[in-house]
Amino acid sequence: MQNSRFASLLPVLAVLGSVTSLSIGTSYAKNLFPIIGAQGTSALRVGFSALFLLLLWRPWRWHTSRADGAAILRYGLTLGLMNLLFYMALRTIPFGIAVAIEFTGPLAVAMFSSRRPIDFVWVGCALVGLVLLLPLDGGQALDPVGVLYALGAAFCWALYIIFGKRAGHLHAGHSVSLGLLAASLVVVPVGVAHAGMALLEPKILLAGFVVAVVSSAIPMSLEMMALKRLPKETFGILISMEPAVAALWALLLLHEHLTGLQWLAIGCTVLASAGSTLTARRRPPPAIAAS
């Protein structure tokens, strides 16, 4: 009985571990910004992640048609730009807030695909959260440039989902490894242009490798394991906790203190994401042929 309970709890722990690992890795990555900048840090993260997944999955084993190659290229280039813009946002706005703003991208994709009345409730929650975060009153709470970078990352995340669906028929290892290779074509040249030879210092390379493993390799592995064992709606609800988890780890590791309104804004984003996942229109399961 205890073993069965642990087995059912394991995928939930995997998702929570993924979100936690991503938050810790990104918090650690921020410490590299004064040395190699957000651009250099993003280059190391994406570059090492691409190498790791290429060696793990060896995508050259699969045939890639011209249409699939084009889909993977669009998916990967968008992924690279999303990572770069997100790290640029982290230079001037807190981690948890950047994640909350970025989450509006996938939320927008989910909302545009449905027109049921309940969805407008989640749209309202997301808009309230976004309005509470945006520096619309000209105050000094958030840097407008950082917010624009985070909104750019949100837009890229929306495109990433759309382009990713077009490559969804491929094996995950095939599309993700080649997608990250394409992403590195965007991020690595920008990082090299900004940080130059500093990226090749042994300590920096080691730190970049740690960032890639903790914020990319471990979370992606845990998510793939969880997706095989959890319903997609349950997985989506758990992932919705990411802005709050990111804010908590940023508070512990980076001492990024948020105001009450900012925590409320993050809560609205989490509620919108979890709610839209919970009430998403379910497609009827396919008929099973009699054996």
Side-chain angles (χ1 to χ4, degrees), residues 48-61 177 209:
F48 275 123
S49 297
L51 287 175
F52 176 81
L53 288 179
L54 285 172
L55 292 174
L56 176 65
W57 291 109
R58 294 170 290 165
W60 51 85
R61 296 178 299 163
S177 57
F209 177 76

Side-chain angles (χ1 to χ4, degrees), residues 111-136:
M111 297 311 170
F112 279 125
S113 65
S114 179
R115 291 293 185 274
R116 293 178 304 154
I118 187 62
D119 292 324
F120 290 98
V121 175
W122 312 130
V123 170
C125 286
L127 287 176
V128 168
L130 191 59
V131 169
L132 289 175
L133 290 176
L134 296 181
L136 300 176

Side-chain angles (χ1 to χ4, degrees), residues 124-180:
C125 286
L127 287 176
V128 168
L130 191 59
V131 169
L132 289 175
L133 290 176
L134 296 181
L136 300 176
D137 59 353
Q140 299 180 352
L142 288 179
D143 172 56
V145 175
V147 170
L148 287 176
Y149 276 125
L151 287 172
F155 178 71
C156 288
W157 196 350
L159 291 179
Y160 161 79
I161 292 172
I162 295 170
F163 293 150
K165 287 182 179 179
R166 296 175 185 174
H169 61 284
L170 301 174
H171 187 279
H174 184 190
S175 58
V176 172
S177 57
L178 289 181
L180 270 171

Side-chain angles (χ1 to χ4, degrees), residues 19 24 47 75 80 147 196 205 219:
V19 173
I24 293 174
Y75 154 80
V147 170
L205 286 173

